Amino acid sequence: MKVKSERAEISPLVVSFWLLAAALATYYNSFRNAFQLDDFHIAVNNPWVHSLRNVPRFFVDPFTFSTIQSNADYRPLLSATYALNYAISQDHPWSWHAFSLLLHITVAISVFYLGRTLFGRNRIVSISWLSEEDGELISFGAAILFVV
């Protein structure tokens, strides 16, 4: 017979809210930051990312990744996001930072769900020494640590 816990279930919506709040509190001042270091040869001065028409080429030509030919790299999805960001705000970094933050928050929420699947209420394997409720808290803690 399974004993019902006194603790309420952690709502994924509440977790998402707290992860969003933690990320915004941590990174709110990044939107004013300028481009740095490799941003210039990969994004700002890279003519390939200045048009969405070049997106198909990112998937076949690693030399579209950077203006420095020795830095050629096959990262088509990253280059596609750069082209999208450039289409939104050209060389103004606010949209680039916002998109990175959105991806970071999405991954943090995924960390919670992964932890929940491994240790929480939705666990796929029984763990005798760890309650489902404690597994949920551990998953939430890991996601908070990741997001900040």
Side-chain angles (χ1 to χ4, degrees):
M1 175 184 210
K2 193 172 184 178
V3 178
K4 186 76 173 158
S5 172
E6 297 289 324
R7 287 188 242 167
E9 181 176 349
I10 297 176
S11 164
L13 187 62
V14 171
V15 168
S16 298
F17 168 79
W18 282 110
L19 292 173
L20 175 67
L24 290 175
T26 304
Y27 300 107
Y28 76 95
N29 62 349
S30 71
F31 295 99
R32 294 185 305 255
N33 293 346
F35 290 107
Q36 301 292 319
L37 307 170
D38 63 351
D39 293 339
F40 293 100
H41 68 87
I42 292 174
V44 177
N45 299 326
N46 185 351
W48 292 105
V49 301
H50 292 180
S51 173
L52 290 172
R53 285 181 281 177
N54 295 325
V55 170
R57 181 120 187 222
F58 300 151
F59 290 86
V60 294
D61 186 358
F63 292 98
T64 60
F65 182 70
S66 172
T67 57
I68 301 172
Q69 293 303 300
S70 61
N71 287 0
D73 200 357
Y74 184 73
R75 300 175 80 180
L77 291 177
L78 182 60
S79 294
T81 65
Y82 289 167
L84 182 61
N85 276 306
Y86 193 86
I88 293 170
S89 68
Q90 285 72 43
D91 59 354
H92 302 286
W94 68 267
S95 77
W96 304 68
H97 294 307
F99 186 73
S100 291
L101 186 58
L102 177 66
L103 286 177
H104 189 64
I105 293 166
T106 302
V107 172
I109 292 169
S110 298
V111 166
F112 170 72
Y113 277 105
L114 175 63
R116 192 174 208 208
T117 301
L118 296 174
F119 309 113
R121 294 188 192 279
N122 297 336
R123 67 174 65 168
I124 54 178
V125 175
S126 178
I127 304 172
S128 62
W129 52 270
L130 181 66
S131 72
E132 291 177 348
E133 293 82 10
D134 290 342
E136 298 266 315
L137 290 174
I138 289 169
S139 301
F140 178 61
I144 285 285
L145 284 175
F146 178 82
V147 85
V148 297

